[in-house]
Amino acid sequence: MASSIAVASGKGGVGKTNIAVNLSLTLSRMGKKVTLLDADFGMANAHILLGVNPQNYISDAINGTVPLADTVCQGPLGMNFLSGGSGLLDMLNLDKKTRYETIRLMDNLEPKPDVLVADVPAGASDNSIAFVAAADRVVVVLVGEPTSFLDAYSLIKAANLEAGVQNFSIVVNMVTGKGQAQAHFAKFQNIVYRFLDVKLELAGYLPLSNRIRKSIVERRPISLGDKNLPENLALQSLSKAVMDATPNQANGIRYFNKIPSMAGA
C-alpha cells in the first residue's frame, strides 16, 4: 500500500519546500515511485524549485474543471508532481469539505505512487493540521532560532491535541554539520517533552550551503547533482530515516483510504 509523508514547518523561511522537493527526488533516486503534492494552495512554489511549469493545478481537479490526470506534471527522475497553484486567493483558506475532497482525491492517482509527499502550508492553520494528520509520517523542518522553535512547538502541539498525531521526524536545516544539528534538536526536544506527550526523532539535517542556494536560484534541485555531494549524502540519510520512522494512526481522514486508529485500525 502507498505510504504518505507530510513535510511541515511552524513558520515560513526555514527551507520546508526545498526539503520536500529534494526528499521527493532522493526517494525517486532510491527507486521509489513518488508523487509530490504541493498542498500550499494559493501560495505554492514547489514548481519554481523543480523548474516545471504546470498547465493545470490540483484546484482544477477539485473544482471538477479538469480530470486529476491532467493536473499531474512529470518532474525529474520520473517523479510526478501536483501543483497547488500560486496567486489563487480563493484557495488560501479551504473549508473542511474541500480539504476532505483533496485528501480523498489522492486515492485516484494513477499510477499509484509508492510514496506521496505533501508539502503542507507553514504554520498551524486548519489546512496544515488536516494535511499533516492525513499522512503516515510527519516531517517538521526547523532552524536553530527561538522563533522557529516556538512555531514548530505550536504546530506539533496543535497536530497532537487536535488530531492525535504522536510521532514526528525532525529535520534541522541550515546548520554547520551533524553536531550542531544534534545540539539544536536536543534543545528543541527538551522544550517539547516538557509539555507534550509525543515522540520526536532526529531524521537528519541539511547544511548551510552555497550549492543549495545556487540550486534554488537555478531551479535545479541539489538532489539532481552528484550523489556523493555532502548535501546529497545528508539527503539520502534523511530520506531513509523518514521512511523508517514510526507511522502515525491519527484521527480523521487519511490518504489512500487508511482507517484511523479510532475506527479500530
Side-chain angles (χ1 to χ4, degrees):
M1 181 179 286
S3 64
S4 53
I5 301 168
V7 182
S9 65
K11 65 190 288 284
V14 299
K16 169 182 62 67
T17 296
N18 185 54
I19 286 175
V21 166
N22 283 293
L23 170 65
S24 300
L25 290 171
T26 301
L27 290 171
S28 295
R29 210 172 198 179
M30 292 164 62
K32 302 288 187 184
K33 292 185 293 184
V34 179
T35 296
L36 171 62
L37 166 65
D38 191 340
D40 198 354
F41 300 115
M43 299 291 285
N45 57 15
H47 63 287
I48 297 173
L49 299 184
L50 279 167
V52 300
N53 296 298
Q55 300 303 305
N56 298 303
Y57 305 119
I58 190 68
S59 55
D60 298 319
I62 296 168
N63 296 332
T65 55
V66 300
L68 177 63
D70 288 352
T71 70
V72 179
C73 297
Q74 186 73 46
L77 303 179
M79 184 191 79
N80 287 330
F81 171 63
L82 294 163
S83 176
S86 54
L88 307 176
L89 298 181
D90 59 328
M91 295 297 291
L92 288 176
N93 295 295
L94 304 182
D95 58 31
K96 186 174 181 179
K97 178 174 179 290
T98 305
R99 290 195 295 269
Y100 177 94
E101 291 172 347
T102 304
I103 293 166
R104 272 290 67 84
L105 201 59
M106 297 302 101
D107 297 341
N108 301 322
L109 285 171
E110 291 294 342
K112 192 172 292 294
D114 297 323
V115 185
L116 173 73
V117 178
D119 178 19
V120 310
S125 67
D126 290 343
N127 285 355
S128 301
I129 299 306
F131 292 121
V132 162
D136 299 319
R137 295 172 175 85
V138 180
V139 174
V140 177
V141 180
L142 53 81
V143 297
E145 300 172 359
T147 53
S148 177
F149 281 20
L150 177 61
D151 292 338
Y153 169 82
S154 297
L155 166 67
I156 290 170
K157 179 180 178 180
N160 177 244
L161 298 183
E162 295 175 22
V165 181
Q166 190 74 21
N167 303 307
F168 300 86
S169 296
I170 305 300
V171 173
V172 186
N173 200 15
M174 305 180 200
V175 292
T176 57
K178 183 177 180 180
Q180 189 177 57
Q182 290 174 330
H184 289 329
F185 173 73
K187 289 180 183 177
F188 181 67
Q189 186 181 50
N190 287 338
I191 294 168
V192 173
Y193 282 5
R194 198 179 307 162
F195 302 105
L196 299 176
D197 182 20
V198 297
K199 181 182 178 184
L200 305 185
E201 293 182 352
L202 177 60
Y205 68 95
L206 268 187
L208 186 62
S209 161
N210 286 327
R211 277 190 292 259
I212 290 178
R213 289 198 194 98
K214 185 179 179 183
S215 75
I216 293 169
V217 171
E218 294 181 350
R219 301 179 66 184
R220 189 176 189 277
I222 189 75
S223 50
L224 298 180
D226 185 341
K227 66 180 181 180
N228 292 315
L229 287 173
E231 296 88 346
N232 285 334
L233 292 174
L235 280 163
Q236 291 162 33
S237 176
L238 182 162
S239 301
K240 291 174 184 174
V242 170
M243 291 301 295
D244 289 341
T246 304
N248 286 291
Q249 292 184 329
N251 305 331
I253 186 70
R254 306 288 306 285
Y255 295 115
F256 306 121
N257 278 316
K258 291 182 179 176
I259 301 171
S261 56
M262 274 185 69

